[in-house]
Amino acid sequence: MTDHHEVPVKVNAWVDEGIADLVAALSELEGLITLESCQGDVGRHDAFVIFRYGDWHQCGNSRQRQRSWAQPL
């Protein structure tokens, strides 16, 4: 795996600089916990964020929540 330059974000964790803004934005969502992330490498592997948000019963169950997800960050 390639080493990436990491920067601190609000969640008190070090993340790859190229994905830090997304992880910081996700940390603003109450109840969302980022577990792992990687900015990826062009031509080698995609970027990803693994997170936990509630349980499978709650995830996407509310029409209001679905509408709020459609709004740009």
Side-chain angles (χ1 to χ4, degrees):
M1 183 133 75
T2 303
D3 291 330
H4 297 129
H5 180 78
E6 297 178 330
V7 297
V9 295
K10 181 181 175 186
V11 294
N12 298 321
W14 289 85
V15 300
D16 295 338
E17 185 175 28
I19 204 161
D21 289 343
L22 175 58
V23 172
L26 289 170
S27 74
E28 296 295 322
L29 298 173
E30 186 175 335
L32 189 141
I33 300 169
T34 300
L35 303 172
E36 188 175 350
S37 65
C38 180
Q39 72 183 30
D41 288 303
V42 176
R44 296 189 65 205
H45 64 275
D46 294 333
F48 66 87
V49 177
I50 298 172
F51 60 89
R52 184 178 72 210
Y53 183 72
D55 62 29
W56 71 273
H57 292 286
Q58 297 170 319
C59 188
N61 196 26
S62 165
R63 288 186 187 269
Q64 179 63 34
R65 186 178 299 141
Q66 289 172 353
R67 282 195 295 272
S68 67
W69 288 347
Q71 301 302 314
L73 297 176

